[in-house]
Amino acid sequence: MNVDQVAQRFAQAQLSYEQHALVQRQVANSLLQRMQAHVPPHLQRVVEIGCGSGLFTRQFMQHYSFDQLFLNDLYPEVQQHFVEDARIYWGIGNIESLPLPQSLDLVMSCSALQWVKKIEDLFRKIHQALNPSGLLCFASYAEDNLKEIKALTGQGLDYLTLAQHIELLDACGYEVLDQQEQRLILEFEHPRAVLQHMKATGVQATGYGFRWSKSSLQAFYTQYRQFQLADSQQYPLSYHPIYLLARKRT
């Protein structure tokens, strides 16, 4: 997946994202609830990776106080979704190559780390930036995410399993405090609506250079019927969120 293409897709979807990001909103709620069991209510320096339109950020700001919040995303247009706040600082660009602020209490991310190409390298970079006993809390997605799309098109991200994430966190010097995975299904009246939903949230699973044609779209609609739900006659789209809260080992 080309990083510039990812940025372009999310930029195009930024105005429609929150209306259609039903799963992402549920994931944001679940991540925040889990954080409240482990993250103290006041923090000094916090980084959020992939803040997007602020769906998760706004919830965080309602429940936590902080001195400095460093927000990251791929494209500068995300800044329009946030009110001016002297505590907020911006780092626009690919988090894999951007330098991280240091002496952090918390690094958090919601529905973004699945786009990272070298997640182990990022875990190590975050580990170096965290204070002793600093926290890394994130929600991402695992192997069954958008599985219907991948089955029909062969396109999609190469997701790690929950166990693989845990193994990497342990190898990078973290103690895992909380872990969970969910399987959520959205239902649509037609396969066309599945693709429209994905476009509206910027999460198209098709890779760089993939182009739909009239014939390939029709074949996709026809083949998607194999997934039709018997009870509702609706068409499912699967999401596979995972939640991980980890502490830097000292």
Side-chain angles (χ1 to χ4, degrees):
M1 186 65 72
N2 180 284
V3 172
D4 291 335
Q5 186 189 40
V6 173
Q8 181 184 21
R9 286 178 173 178
F10 278 105
Q12 291 170 344
Q14 61 180 315
L15 298 181
S16 60
Y17 181 84
E18 293 212 15
Q19 178 184 350
H20 295 272
L22 305 176
V23 167
Q24 291 86 346
R25 187 181 302 278
Q26 184 174 338
V27 169
N29 292 340
S30 295
L31 177 60
L32 187 73
Q33 290 174 6
R34 292 179 173 281
M35 286 172 56
Q36 289 178 294
H38 298 280
V39 179
H42 178 74
L43 303 146
Q44 292 183 320
R45 290 163 62 85
V46 180
V47 164
E48 182 184 1
I49 298 170
C51 64
S53 63
L55 184 67
F56 175 72
T57 319
R58 288 190 294 274
Q59 293 191 43
F60 171 79
M61 294 177 72
Q62 289 173 6
H63 291 86
Y64 287 91
S65 62
F66 53 87
D67 297 336
Q68 295 175 307
L69 175 59
F70 300 88
L71 296 179
N72 156 262
D73 212 297
L74 289 171
Y75 57 100
E77 290 84 356
V78 295
Q79 298 176 57
Q80 69 181 296
H81 300 291
F82 296 82
V83 297
E84 192 168 334
D85 190 319
R87 300 170 299 166
I88 292 179
Y89 301 81
W90 287 95
I92 300 298
N94 185 353
I95 196 63
E96 295 186 75
S97 54
L98 283 178
L100 276 176
Q102 300 296 296
S103 302
L104 299 172
D105 294 326
L106 169 67
V107 175
M108 58 187 186
S109 181
C110 189
S111 298
L113 293 188
Q114 68 273 12
W115 299 103
V116 171
K117 292 181 179 179
K118 297 182 178 179
I119 192 69
E120 182 175 2
D121 291 348
L122 181 60
F123 285 164
R124 294 190 186 281
K125 184 162 77 167
I126 292 170
H127 187 276
Q128 293 173 353
L130 285 171
N131 287 324
S133 299
L135 296 165
L136 168 59
C137 302
F138 65 91
S140 188
Y141 296 87
E143 70 274 12
D144 284 339
N145 205 55
L146 309 180
K147 64 181 182 180
E148 297 87 357
I149 308 300
K150 196 162 192 175
L152 297 187
T153 68
Q155 302 286 317
L157 298 177
D158 293 323
Y159 297 98
L160 298 180
T161 65
L162 176 63
Q164 287 172 322
H165 279 90
I166 293 171
E167 185 178 337
L168 287 178
L169 286 168
D170 180 66
C172 293
Y174 297 89
E175 172 194 2
V176 174
L177 305 175
D178 189 10
Q179 55 168 293
Q180 190 189 11
E181 59 185 333
Q182 294 176 312
R183 284 173 170 81
L184 305 174
I185 293 177
L186 295 183
E187 297 183 11
F188 300 88
E189 292 186 354
H190 191 279
R192 183 187 302 108
V194 174
L195 295 183
Q196 290 169 341
H197 159 79
M198 293 174 63
K199 183 177 182 180
T201 55
V203 297
Q204 294 114 303
T206 50
Y208 183 70
F210 184 89
R211 295 290 182 271
W212 289 104
S213 65
K214 186 175 180 179
S215 60
S216 66
L217 271 175
Q218 192 55 54
F220 175 83
Y221 298 156
T222 300
Q223 293 167 9
Y224 213 97
R225 291 174 186 162
Q226 67 185 277
F227 305 121
Q228 192 171 27
L229 301 171
D231 53 347
S232 65
Q233 298 301 301
Q234 297 282 89
Y235 295 88
L237 181 64
S238 298
Y239 283 88
H240 186 180
I242 61 172
Y243 306 89
L244 282 158
L245 280 64
R247 179 189 292 128
K248 179 177 179 177
R249 285 199 299 261
T250 56

